[in-house]
């Protein structure tokens, strides 16, 4: 377990109200500069090919432009990411880094105390103005908790 955190000024790093930092990113792009994550949650429609990385990674089935295939597994994975962000560098990533990643970050914001109906606006203001791409993703984040 690492005690150092992400640089909160770095692109893609979301500071939650509690001070926890979580990096969102697009898996289609190269790894950004800075320290690697200690834990990554990958939100993809199918199991990714095994790629050796020096950090722990968890895969959650979440098709592009949709919602997680298993809502209970999503709650568990997102709660784990939120808890680990208290003391570790946590990354949440999908193919493009906006829709699924933004939705997951909004869910983490809800876990961190942001009211559900305000979570998408919070992520758009502090992570990416185009985060959370579909109406059902917005509803999922607003109802998360």
């Amino acid at each position: 377990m690492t005690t150092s955190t992400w640089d909160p000024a770095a692109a893609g790093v979301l500071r939650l109200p509690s001070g926890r930092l979580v990096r969102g990113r697009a898996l289609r792009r190269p790894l950004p500069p800075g320290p690697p994550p200690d834990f990554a949650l990958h939100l993809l429609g199918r199991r990714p090919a095994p790629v050796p990385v020096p950090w722990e990674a968890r895969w959650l089935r979440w098709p592009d432009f949709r919602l997680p295939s298993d809502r209970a597994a999503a709650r568990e994975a997102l709660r784990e990411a939120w808890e680990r962000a208290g003391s570790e560098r946590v990354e949440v990533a999908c193919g493009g880094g906006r829709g699924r990643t933004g939705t997951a970050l909004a869910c983490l914001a809800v876990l961190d105390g942001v009211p559900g109906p305000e979570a998408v606006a919070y992520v758009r203001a502090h992570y990416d103005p185009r985060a959370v791409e579909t109406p059902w993703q917005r509803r999922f984040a607003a109802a998360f908790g």
Side-chain angles (χ1 to χ4, degrees):
M1 186 158 45
T2 269
T3 56
S4 63
T5 59
W6 302 107
D7 175 0
V13 175
L14 173 68
R15 180 185 292 277
L16 295 167
S18 67
R20 285 176 165 89
L21 300 172
V22 180
R23 181 172 74 187
R25 81 173 180 102
L27 291 170
R28 286 185 223 133
R29 296 195 183 109
L31 194 64
D38 298 307
F39 174 74
L41 179 58
H42 294 163
L43 314 170
L44 298 167
R46 61 181 172 210
R47 184 177 300 279
V51 176
V53 292
W55 56 82
E56 184 181 350
R58 181 173 178 177
W59 167 70
L60 181 64
R61 183 182 304 278
W62 192 327
D64 201 7
F65 297 106
R66 298 232 157 69
L67 296 175
S69 298
D70 182 335
R71 308 281 167 80
R75 286 186 190 287
E76 177 187 313
L78 291 166
R79 178 158 294 282
E80 178 185 4
W82 178 79
E83 288 173 358
R84 292 179 78 155
S87 61
E88 298 176 65
R89 288 186 305 267
V90 172
E91 173 179 272
V92 176
C94 68
R98 288 200 175 109
R100 293 168 286 182
T101 296
T103 304
L105 292 173
C107 292
L108 295 180
V110 170
L111 290 173
D112 207 61
V114 174
E118 298 171 23
V120 171
Y122 182 88
V123 170
R124 287 179 173 168
H126 300 285
Y127 170 67
D128 186 314
R130 294 181 288 168
V132 190
E133 295 172 317
T134 67
W136 41 90
Q137 289 174 339
R138 287 192 296 276
R139 285 192 298 270
F140 180 78
F144 194 82

